[in-house]
Amino acid sequence: NAHTKGLISKDVLAKLRPTSLLINCARGAIIDQAALTEALKEKKFRAGIDVFEVEPTPADEPLLQVDDSNIFTPHVAYKTNEALLRRADITAENLRSFVEGRNDNRVDNLE
């Protein structure tokens, strides 16, 4: 959204130490991607990026061309076995609650 787009700007990136590791698995547009690309090309710090300004990320995206001391994944950081099992457990419990007439975890609960 407009409030968080570019929140991590070129100026913020410039403050990172060479030993820093920037991780973004929130939303791609939070980081100024052009500034991030330049900083990584200059080896100012390293990064682990799971979200991009444009998804699916084009193969010719300059950020993907920086050296391999950085990690880029195609927006799958949420998809661990543990997370998927937990999501299945929550879904099953929500269905059980609904069938039993309880109002647990319902978005239409007006109580």
Side-chain angles (χ1 to χ4, degrees):
N1 68 40
H3 298 296
T4 60
K5 184 172 178 150
L7 184 67
I8 308 299
S9 64
K10 183 176 184 174
D11 292 338
V12 172
L13 294 172
K15 295 176 182 177
L16 294 176
R17 298 177 185 159
T19 56
S20 297
L21 175 60
L22 176 69
I23 304 288
N24 186 11
C25 57
R27 196 172 68 82
I30 287 175
I31 299 175
D32 176 337
Q33 195 161 299
L36 174 63
T37 301
E38 287 307 309
L40 293 178
K41 282 182 179 178
E42 295 171 10
K43 300 182 187 297
K44 300 285 186 180
F45 52 86
R46 293 182 302 158
I49 305 296
D50 184 58
V51 288
F52 300 86
E53 284 183 359
V54 175
E55 292 181 351
T57 308
D60 62 347
E61 167 57 50
L63 182 58
L64 299 178
Q65 310 309 314
V66 300
D67 72 74
D68 60 0
S69 66
N70 300 284
I71 298 172
F72 304 107
T73 57
H75 203 164
V76 295
Y78 75 96
K79 199 172 182 181
T80 64
N81 287 337
E82 295 84 0
L84 294 174
L85 289 171
R86 179 74 177 123
R87 188 170 303 128
D89 289 343
I90 290 169
T91 300
E93 181 55 34
N94 286 343
L95 288 170
R96 194 169 15 268
S97 173
F98 179 78
V99 168
E100 293 172 359
R102 293 183 281 136
N103 286 327
D104 301 341
N105 204 21
R106 288 186 54 181
V107 296
D108 65 340
N109 183 7
L110 300 177
E111 293 179 12

